[in-house]
Amino acid sequence: MLTFKQLEAIYWVVQLGGFSQAAQKLHTTQSAVSKRVQELESLFETPLFDRSLRAARLTEKGEEMFLLAKKLLEQRDAAVDQFSRGAVVERRIRIGVTELTALTWLPRLVNAINTFYPKVTVEPDVDLSVSLRDKLLADEIDLMIAPSAVNDTRFSSVPVGKVENVWMAKPGMIESRRPLRLHELAAHRLLTQGDKSGTGLLYERWFKGLGVKPSNTLTSNNLIALIGFTLSGLGISYLPLKCMEPMIQAGKLEVVKVNPALPKTEYLAMYKGEQRSTVVSSIVMLAQESCDFTRMFDTGPIVR
């Protein structure tokens, strides 16, 4: 008879790379893990691991069994999460977000979570994309929302929205009425985000892909600081168009047209696959519905 203990054994041996590591994870002995795997092999009359190798490498049938184990364990965990009411209703969720999300639609997301899960405690962590990635890997947060530039194959990811960034400057800095070519833009001082920022990484790669390397840059990982630098006339920066429109309309900033235009920044909700839960899945869906980078400090309800 197939058991979850047997499925857990093969799953964690593969995930952690060995029988001893799986035994530690499952709080049992290495011999117990080996016995559970052998039980599976006897049940289906086929070897699951290639024992001619020192490493724990799956056979072809072993690969099939691993995928089946992964699927069944996820379904089990989802069922337990759904029906263990106390565990679901009363818990904390640590959500990592970058500065732009905190400045725009994070209040709306928190309000939505409080509405649907009134006993869930939300603990936001505002940090740079690369730092959030490291925290997610270290299990210091449960979920992160950041630009896709920092996505990792060890994460499950779901798109939540996109940001349209455009080049902006203090009015009067750029006299040209026609769109600037990229090499013309690069002749000016550019205000950029650093290599720990998802947006900064995205546009650094974009410049490199087009064969352009700006020589005069002022870098800051603080979005508020970049806005202040741009308002002060220290250079040209890429800023989110929609939420900067009040400053554009007030004549404090102007859009600098550049050809080619900047690609949009895609934001993803990312979480570790083995930490999947119905609450996290629900919050990801709420994030998709809440995501709106057009207004600062948006506390309005989700429009369905």
Side-chain angles (χ1 to χ4, degrees):
M1 180 179 177
L2 187 66
T3 68
F4 282 119
K5 285 188 176 182
Q6 295 164 350
L7 296 175
E8 285 176 331
I10 186 172
Y11 177 81
W12 287 113
V13 168
V14 175
Q15 285 291 95
L16 300 178
F19 284 74
S20 62
Q21 296 93 320
Q24 283 186 319
K25 175 69 179 179
L26 296 171
H27 305 291
T28 187
T29 63
Q30 184 172 336
S31 60
V33 171
S34 297
K35 182 182 178 184
R36 293 171 192 176
V37 171
Q38 289 168 2
E39 288 170 351
L40 275 177
E41 292 176 322
S42 298
L43 183 62
F44 295 99
E45 298 180 347
T46 184
L48 301 178
F49 288 94
D50 186 347
R51 288 177 171 79
S52 66
L53 303 171
R54 294 186 64 183
R57 183 174 296 178
L58 292 169
T59 62
E60 186 175 347
K61 282 294 182 182
E63 289 282 358
E64 294 178 12
M65 178 57 68
F66 168 73
L67 293 175
L68 176 63
K70 184 174 185 292
K71 181 179 179 181
L72 292 174
L73 290 171
E74 286 177 349
Q75 290 176 346
R76 179 202 64 180
D77 292 344
V80 171
D81 210 356
Q82 180 176 351
F83 292 106
S84 299
R85 184 173 179 83
V88 172
V89 174
E90 295 190 58
R91 60 171 293 182
R92 63 174 181 152
I93 292 289
R94 301 162 298 174
I95 304 177
V97 298
T98 56
E99 192 177 10
L100 181 58
T101 298
L103 289 171
T104 52
W105 56 274
L106 178 62
R108 172 188 277 198
L109 175 61
V110 172
N111 285 345
I113 295 171
N114 289 338
T115 298
F116 288 96
Y117 297 99
K119 293 187 179 180
V120 166
T121 301
V122 180
E123 296 182 2
D125 186 340
V126 182
D127 209 334
L128 298 170
S129 299
V130 172
S131 299
L132 291 176
R133 180 189 63 195
D134 294 343
K135 289 178 180 180
L136 187 56
L137 286 170
D139 294 328
E140 294 174 10
I141 55 176
D142 304 300
L143 169 71
M144 66 177 279
I145 299 168
S148 60
V150 295
N151 196 13
D152 190 296
T153 55
R154 290 167 287 186
F155 301 153
S156 297
S157 60
V158 179
V160 295
K162 293 184 178 182
V163 178
E164 181 184 4
N165 289 300
V166 298
W167 294 101
M168 296 188 197
K170 183 178 180 179
M173 273 193 67
I174 305 299
E175 297 180 359
S176 176
R177 294 186 177 275
R178 64 172 176 80
L180 297 179
R181 300 185 188 280
L182 204 55
H183 72 274
E184 294 174 319
L185 173 74
H188 296 271
R189 175 193 260 181
L190 302 184
L191 309 175
T192 63
Q193 297 183 44
D195 59 7
K196 292 188 180 297
S197 158
T199 301
L201 284 171
L202 171 68
Y203 291 143
E204 180 183 335
R205 295 169 188 168
W206 180 73
F207 269 116
K208 187 175 181 180
L210 294 174
V212 177
K213 186 175 182 180
S215 58
N216 186 5
T217 60
L218 177 60
T219 299
S220 174
N221 284 314
N222 188 303
L223 178 60
I224 296 296
L226 280 178
I227 295 171
F229 294 165
T230 310
L231 289 166
S232 301
L234 292 177
I236 305 171
S237 185
Y238 42 76
L239 298 173
L241 175 61
K242 294 297 183 180
C243 62
M244 291 292 105
E245 279 188 342
M247 290 188 182
I248 296 170
Q249 293 171 2
K252 296 180 180 179
L253 289 171
E254 69 177 4
V255 173
V256 179
K257 295 182 179 179
V258 178
N259 189 18
L262 290 163
K264 290 185 177 180
T265 304
E266 181 179 38
Y267 275 67
L268 304 176
M270 293 169 262
Y271 55 92
K272 291 174 73 173
E274 66 266 24
Q275 292 181 345
R276 180 173 177 261
S277 75
T278 53
V279 175
V280 170
S281 297
S282 296
I283 290 175
V284 169
M285 288 189 287
L286 290 175
Q288 289 176 307
E289 296 180 346
S290 301
C291 184
D292 183 355
F293 292 102
T294 64
R295 292 181 292 178
M296 291 286 194
F297 305 114
D298 186 2
T299 58
I302 294 175
V303 179
R304 295 183 180 274

